[in-house]
Amino acid sequence: MDELNRLTPEAFKTQEKTPLVLVLDNVRSALNVGSAFRTADAFALQKIYLTGITATPPHREILKKALG
């Protein structure tokens, strides 16, 4: 973690967030939802809203993408 210069979970929670909201509406692929979560974390987005039939955590494929 130190070599990647990643924040600790505590530091991430307290950092200033980018004032953008990501809305995922009817995203059928759980892998794509996982990818969107990773991207939102990378840009420290303020919120993520999941609507329609979008896969919701915890879901095996979301976790798989989040780890990859």
Side-chain angles (χ1 to χ4, degrees):
M1 291 294 266
D2 292 333
E3 293 174 3
L4 296 173
N5 294 322
R6 291 187 180 169
L7 297 174
T8 64
E10 295 79 22
F12 181 79
K13 289 178 186 178
T14 60
Q15 86 172 12
E16 186 175 339
K17 303 292 187 238
T18 306
L20 290 174
V21 176
L22 176 63
V23 178
L24 301 177
D25 183 35
N26 294 326
V27 179
R28 295 176 185 259
S29 170
L31 293 173
N32 288 340
V33 174
S35 180
F37 268 74
R38 291 275 294 157
T39 302
D41 276 349
F43 288 98
L45 297 187
Q46 194 171 31
K47 291 188 185 274
I48 302 173
Y49 289 107
L50 306 177
T51 64
I53 59 168
T54 302
T56 57
H59 188 284
R60 182 178 56 86
E61 289 185 0
I62 292 173
L63 296 175
K64 178 181 174 186
K65 185 65 173 186
L67 292 174

